[in-house]
Amino acid sequence: MTTITKHDSATSNKEVEFASFYVSDLLIGVDILQVQEINRQLTLTNVPHAETYVRGVVNLRGEVITVVDLRTILGLTPSEITTDSRNVVVNIGDEKIGLLADKVAEVVCTTWDKIDPTPANIGGVEGRFFKGVRRLEKELLVILDVEEILQVGGDSQSSGE
């Protein structure tokens, strides 16, 4: 039996794809339409006086991209860059932001009616950072609210405009 959560019947059975990756033990999904690319570009240039969650910037084909540490934003221990680490570049409005991921997983296809509301707390992380959860065969996919993640710094990311 399917139930419709916060989406109306016209969009509840519309297929959606999520690029998924791990941040600590959390399997996180981002709407694939927001993802520009996933790459190994992790040679970061430090940004003096930046927020603690800003790991640095990268030059991506002539464009400077800020890379943020999702672990720090989510209140987890900061990321260690390993051979599995990836930079998930997402588009937010006219801006591109890199999300530091511990390891990339697969693309998950589902429909909105199979996404459950977010609990108040997931693995010790506040539920406000997520749009919902999808139960998979062996684990839980949490759908990242990218806009909410980037609100953590308030206007500090756009203060140079």
Side-chain angles (χ1 to χ4, degrees):
M1 178 194 299
T2 59
T3 58
I4 297 173
T5 56
K6 59 186 171 189
H7 299 276
D8 63 32
S9 59
T11 61
S12 67
N13 59 2
K14 182 180 177 192
E15 189 171 276
V16 62
E17 295 179 318
F18 295 99
S20 68
F21 51 90
Y22 287 92
V23 173
S24 187
D25 293 332
L26 291 173
L27 178 61
I28 293 180
V30 174
D31 188 328
I32 206 159
L33 297 177
Q34 285 186 290
V35 177
Q36 176 181 316
E37 65 184 88
I38 299 172
N39 64 49
R40 295 179 187 193
Q41 176 71 358
L42 293 170
T43 305
L44 303 171
T45 301
N46 190 33
V47 179
H49 310 292
E51 299 288 339
T52 56
Y53 61 86
V54 174
R55 288 297 293 260
V57 294
V58 295
N59 183 334
L60 188 62
R61 293 178 291 284
E63 189 171 2
V64 176
I65 308 289
T66 301
V67 178
V68 299
D69 188 344
L70 284 177
R71 281 176 167 247
T72 302
I73 293 172
L74 297 174
L76 305 169
T77 58
S79 294
E80 288 186 33
I81 296 178
T82 69
T83 56
D84 288 332
S85 299
R86 295 294 183 269
N87 182 16
V88 180
V89 180
V90 295
N91 295 305
I92 302 299
D94 295 334
E95 194 172 0
K96 292 178 181 66
I97 301 291
L99 306 175
L100 189 56
D102 294 333
K103 180 172 66 170
V104 173
E106 299 178 356
V107 172
V108 175
C109 298
T110 189
T111 56
W112 282 110
D113 60 347
K114 294 180 181 173
I115 296 174
D116 297 322
T118 307
N121 181 316
I122 299 174
V125 177
E126 288 182 57
R128 72 182 177 108
F129 294 118
F130 307 108
K131 293 181 176 181
V133 296
R134 170 71 166 98
R135 295 184 197 288
L136 302 176
E137 194 172 309
K138 296 181 180 179
E139 57 194 329
L140 196 65
L141 175 74
V142 291
I143 311 303
L144 189 68
D145 186 338
V146 177
E147 290 83 2
E148 183 66 28
I149 285 289
L150 299 179
Q151 291 291 326
V152 170
D155 293 22
S156 64
Q157 289 190 20
S158 59
S159 60
E161 293 181 349

